[in-house]
Amino acid sequence: MTAPSLHLGDGLTVSPLGFGGMALTTVYGEVDPHESLKTLHHAVDAGVTFIDTADVYGAGGNEELIAKLLKQRRSEVQLASKFGIVGNPRDGYTDVRGDAAYVKQAVEASLRRLGTDVIDLYYMHRRDLRVPIVETVEAMAELVREGKIRHLGLSEVTAEELREADAVHPIAAVQSEWSIWSRDVESNVVPAAAELGVGFVPYSPLGRGFLTGTVSAEQLGDNDFRHRIPRFADGALDANQGVVAAVRSVAAELSGTTGRDATPAQVALAWLFAQGRRLQLPVVPIPGTRKAHRIDENLGALSLELSAAQLGVLDDAADAVVGSRSADPKWVSQGRE
């Protein structure tokens, strides 16, 4: 391991940095399955053993890809998957299901695609507002008793929903978008997670690539689903360059004072680790990438320390972000807080 393991919620031990599998689907453009599998193996080799996927990623294709990794290395991986969303990220979500019958149906399909007997962390991907959250969580708890999953997770829930769910069965982790430019969860959900002893798993911790300073309107292909997100619209994309400039300035300052080349990606991840310490809860970001060398770069954030002044620069930059983080806010908790 590159760093000590972290514990999420009721005893799930994971690597301090995870890997988000959605990047290995066509949501950001075409992918090479062979290279994707090589990237997954490199992640595990490097110590990133917490692998996150979902049934909706690539219409099950992402789980089938990860199954090829698990076939050789299941004992080395902490596996997370999700259920509930109908549709897909690129073309748009059409529905959410959280009824007990669907929970059972979804886990059986995921286990089959993943080629495994048990999922370490199983998330409710989004809340089905037609179904009491207690009903959904009770169905998930039954899967624990049946030995099909080990720990429960929730994605994009409100603080109230988290409390209701945790009263039914211990919740190991909440997953939501959280980064320098997506901080709405800090108002209610993060404090609730800290209070309940629930870990936090930020997805898109690099702002879907934007915080690395490598994304421009010209670089987004026709099939890139980021076109659907308001803060990636032409006017907003230009306005949001300020936050990128702040991240770059901190990276440059660190490079000049530490004797190592700090990158914007490392700064963005180090900011999240610092937030976890400030807000007193375990934080395990799950950046995704198609390139093996980016995994090594991301791991460098674990040893990067940001000063109070540098954290202040990044905090101030977040206040100037323009545009919603979601193509349709009804699909994320910020639309219901």
Side-chain angles (χ1 to χ4, degrees):
M1 283 295 298
T2 56
S5 300
L6 288 182
H7 304 288
L8 299 177
D10 56 334
L12 175 60
T13 302
V14 299
S15 57
L17 189 73
F19 183 91
M22 192 175 81
L24 302 180
T25 65
T26 56
V27 69
Y28 295 121
E30 296 306 311
V31 294
D32 180 338
H34 178 68
E35 287 300 317
S36 294
L37 186 58
K38 284 178 60 177
T39 298
L40 284 169
H41 276 287
H42 182 80
V44 179
D45 290 339
V48 179
T49 57
F50 183 38
I51 309 296
D52 179 275
T53 184
D55 58 2
V56 73
Y57 299 162
N62 197 249
E63 289 182 324
E64 291 169 347
L65 170 67
I66 289 172
K68 296 178 181 178
L69 172 77
L70 300 178
K71 187 174 183 180
Q72 298 178 354
R73 313 185 71 166
R74 180 66 184 94
S75 64
E76 300 175 67
V77 169
Q78 301 91 49
L79 173 66
S81 193
K82 315 178 197 71
F83 74 92
I85 292 180
V86 180
N88 62 74
R90 191 176 71 183
D91 299 328
Y93 306 137
T94 58
D95 199 5
V96 172
R97 286 189 62 184
D99 55 282
Y102 186 77
V103 174
K104 184 174 181 60
Q105 173 188 330
V107 77
E108 295 292 350
S110 284
L111 288 169
R112 184 174 61 254
R113 285 189 294 264
L114 289 161
T116 188
D117 296 327
V118 61
I119 296 170
D120 298 304
L121 177 61
Y122 198 47
Y123 289 96
M124 179 188 75
H125 206 166
R126 294 293 188 273
R127 168 78 196 282
D128 182 349
L129 296 176
R130 300 162 300 192
V131 177
I133 194 168
V134 168
E135 177 182 326
T136 305
V137 175
E138 284 176 344
M140 296 169 71
E142 180 61 28
L143 299 179
V144 175
R145 291 189 286 271
E146 293 175 1
K148 294 175 180 177
I149 65 177
R150 293 194 172 105
H151 301 273
L152 273 56
L154 304 172
S155 180
E156 292 289 7
V157 291
T158 66
E160 181 182 352
E161 289 165 347
L162 173 57
R163 289 191 175 93
E164 286 186 58
D166 193 68
V168 175
H169 187 281
I171 302 299
V174 169
Q175 183 174 141
S176 185
E177 183 169 354
W178 189 15
S179 70
I180 292 170
W181 79 337
S182 294
R183 301 184 60 181
D184 55 282
V185 294
E186 294 177 20
S187 298
N188 296 297
V189 184
V190 167
E195 170 195 327
L196 296 168
V198 175
F200 211 97
V201 178
Y203 73 78
S204 298
L206 303 180
R208 304 189 189 277
F210 185 74
L211 297 176
T212 68
T214 61
V215 176
S216 66
E218 295 76 23
Q219 291 171 314
L220 300 183
D222 292 341
N223 293 328
D224 195 309
F225 100 111
R226 285 173 288 191
H227 285 297
R228 298 171 51 84
I229 300 174
R231 62 180 49 172
F232 281 91
D234 290 344
L237 204 60
D238 292 338
N240 287 327
Q241 290 300 322
V243 70
V244 175
V247 175
R248 281 176 165 166
S249 71
V250 171
E253 182 179 333
L254 285 165
S255 297
T257 58
T258 64
R260 56 176 279 190
D261 291 329
T263 69
Q266 291 171 344
V267 169
L269 292 170
W271 178 88
L272 269 171
F273 295 135
Q275 285 297 88
R277 292 189 292 271
R278 287 199 284 186
L279 299 171
Q280 300 184 313
L281 78 169
V283 172
V284 183
I286 50 169
T289 182
R290 300 175 182 183
K291 300 175 181 178
H293 73 272
R294 294 296 187 194
I295 293 167
D296 301 324
E297 176 186 347
N298 292 341
L299 282 167
L302 292 167
S303 59
L304 202 63
E305 292 289 336
L306 302 178
S307 69
Q310 290 163 344
L311 289 169
V313 168
L314 299 172
D315 289 344
D316 290 344
D319 294 336
V321 172
V322 174
S324 169
R325 66 179 173 91
S326 174
D328 187 343
K330 74 181 181 183
W331 296 108
V332 298
S333 60
Q334 68 173 3
R336 296 183 284 112
E337 293 256 310

